[in-house]
Amino acid sequence: MIDAISFSSGTFRYLDQRFLPLKELHIETRDYKEAIEAIKTLAVRGAPLIGASAAYTVVLGLNAYQGEKADFPAYFERLIAEVNASRPTAVNLFFATKKMQAVYDANFEADSLETLFAKMTDEAQKIYSDEVDNCDRIARHGVEQLKRDLAGVLKTRKLNVLTHCNTGTLACCGIGTALGVIRLAWQEGLIERVISSESRPLLQGLRLTAWELEHDGIPFVSISDSSSAILMQRGMIDFAVVGADRITANGDTANKIGTYAHAISANHHCIPFYIAAPVSTIDITLSEGSQIPIEERNADELRTIFGTQVATPTTPVVNYAFDVTPGTLIRGIITEKKAVVGDYVKGLAELFEN
Ligand SMILES: CSC[C@H]1O[C@H](OP(=O)(O)O)[C@H](O)[C@@H]1O
């Protein structure tokens, strides 16, 4: 499997995704500020991977602490705030730092700093390994949902699937969320071809999903984001499955910019549109999608293409990194616990009941 991130002996190691697919550059760091910068610049990216990276970043911060135990609470509060400020939309980041905070809250008083830091390091590793396992479960639930919903088509032929951005190992720690569903469906002989939309402006689809699909030998084509509608109109897409950065209690879903347009087209053409995401991406505290903070990124991400100026430096730009697809356009939300279909308020709430 692709080695997107790892943590051992106090060192955070990551594959710098900004240079893929043309260069595979692995970076090692023990500096939490460098790790924060890697998240900010999308050297590491993808909601579940951002969560695991955030947890490892906290551990780097712990290992850098040289002070007395009495002064640690103030240091830790600043550290968590710095990590939380790195990117605003993917709720997995905050899910991870809350998990680290919980270990701190439960053990700070009783433990030495050495013992506490060891427990928090174990928690970070668990966050990572849980996301690896979640991908396998999401893939299974997703394939079973496809077999139910597309049984008619599957009687005569395999399926063509649209996906957006990158939701594979580079984004999720394991086989992927949406791309995990696609990988397992391919292995089970259900997939004819993957349609991977480029995902401007940072091209996670054209660069990263294409790289992962080529790595696996899965047939695909890359398309411009605006081409999905004509392929649907021509019957070239049977379903769509994408990832998520934050899902609210009613099923509204924030995902890479361009997702909403794909969902509108899919709805117009009666093509099922699925979200695949771990429960760690669901923010049950938000009732609907307008409450999700949408990251706006640097205008030069549009004005230049990987260092080549393509618009004037003063061209006005609006650069939202995400959009929100209403739950009403979503056929099902595939999680590691189950596929939630229909009443999202009830179905998503049940995921949090023991
Ligand atoms: C399963 S990753 C979820 C999500 O993260 C990506 O955003 P980014 O590349 O900006 O980190 C994209 O929205 C994926 O669908």
Side-chain angles (χ1 to χ4, degrees), residues 260-281:
Y260 181 30
H262 288 323
I264 291 168
S265 298
N267 192 258
H268 178 75
H269 292 282
C270 302
I271 291 169
F273 193 90
Y274 301 96
I275 300 294
V279 173
S280 55
T281 304

Side-chain angles (χ1 to χ4, degrees), residues 9-325:
S9 307
T11 299
F12 177 48
R13 183 174 188 269
Y14 62 90
L15 174 55
D16 190 328
Q17 299 186 29
R18 294 172 296 180
F19 300 99
L20 289 174
L22 304 181
K23 185 163 71 171
E24 294 184 33
L25 177 63
H26 289 272
I27 306 291
E28 293 189 352
T29 184
R30 301 169 74 89
D31 181 339
Y32 83 88
K33 290 182 184 297
E34 286 181 5
I36 288 173
E37 194 61 20
I39 295 171
K40 281 180 178 176
T41 59
L42 279 76
V44 294
R45 46 143 302 279
L49 197 97
I50 287 172
S53 300
Y56 288 147
T57 301
V58 170
V59 176
L60 292 179
L62 302 180
N63 294 344
Y65 185 67
Q66 300 294 318
E68 298 301 318
K69 180 172 179 181
D71 301 326
F72 181 71
Y75 173 86
F76 183 63
E77 185 177 354
R78 286 194 304 275
L79 171 63
I80 292 294
E82 279 187 70
V83 175
N84 281 345
S86 52
R87 288 192 75 189
T89 303
V91 72
N92 306 61
L93 188 152
F94 308 97
F95 172 85
T97 54
K98 282 181 183 144
K99 286 271 191 181
M100 301 297 277
Q101 180 75 50
V103 175
Y104 167 87
D105 293 343
N107 298 286
F108 174 71
E109 288 304 326
D111 287 351
S112 67
L113 287 185
E114 183 183 7
T115 302
L116 175 66
F117 291 0
K119 289 178 180 177
M120 294 176 82
T121 301
D122 290 346
E123 182 65 20
Q125 296 289 19
K126 184 177 185 307
I127 290 167
Y128 176 86
S129 58
D130 284 352
E131 292 297 9
V132 173
D133 296 340
N134 289 340
C135 287
D136 294 333
R137 296 190 182 98
I138 289 167
R140 175 46 56 204
H141 288 305
V143 166
E144 295 314 310
Q145 189 65 35
L146 288 177
K147 288 177 178 175
R148 288 190 288 270
D149 288 353
L150 293 153
V153 178
L154 286 168
K155 283 181 183 150
T156 57
R157 62 177 176 83
K158 296 179 179 183
L159 303 169
N160 296 292
V161 51
L162 170 70
T163 196
H164 186 60
C165 195
N166 172 257
T167 60
T169 307
L170 292 171
C172 301
C173 311
I175 59 170
T177 52
L179 204 53
V181 172
I182 291 168
R183 279 176 158 135
L184 184 60
W186 163 257
Q187 287 168 17
E188 297 198 357
L190 307 181
I191 299 295
E192 180 69 31
R193 184 170 69 166
V194 181
I195 313 291
S196 167
S197 57
E198 61 177 344
S199 316
R200 283 215 17 91
L202 297 181
L203 304 178
Q204 289 92 326
L206 181 66
R207 295 186 301 112
L208 307 180
T209 295
W211 187 69
E212 291 205 43
L213 291 171
E214 277 182 307
H215 177 274
D216 288 14
I218 298 174
F220 75 99
V221 289
S222 293
I223 63 169
S224 61
D225 297 325
S226 49
S227 300
S228 66
I230 189 172
L231 270 74
M232 291 177 188
Q233 189 180 50
R234 293 184 173 194
M236 296 167 71
I237 294 172
D238 297 301
F239 75 100
V241 59
V242 302
D245 292 80
R246 196 179 303 219
I247 301 167
T248 58
N250 68 342
D252 292 352
T253 296
N255 195 51
K256 185 49 53 196
I257 191 76
T259 301
Y260 181 30
H262 288 323
I264 291 168
S265 298
N267 192 258
H268 178 75
H269 292 282
C270 302
I271 291 169
F273 193 90
Y274 301 96
I275 300 294
V279 173
S280 55
T281 304
I282 300 171
D283 186 347
I284 211 75
T285 68
L286 300 183
S287 58
E288 46 101 36
S290 65
Q291 299 168 296
I292 299 173
I294 297 298
E295 180 181 13
E296 279 197 73
R297 294 183 62 83
N298 188 303
D300 282 337
E301 288 184 356
L302 266 77
R303 295 190 190 118
T304 67
I305 297 183
F306 291 83
T308 302
Q309 193 79 31
V310 291
T312 67
T314 56
T315 295
V317 165
V318 175
N319 182 17
Y320 291 123
F322 301 96
D323 55 28
V324 177
T325 298

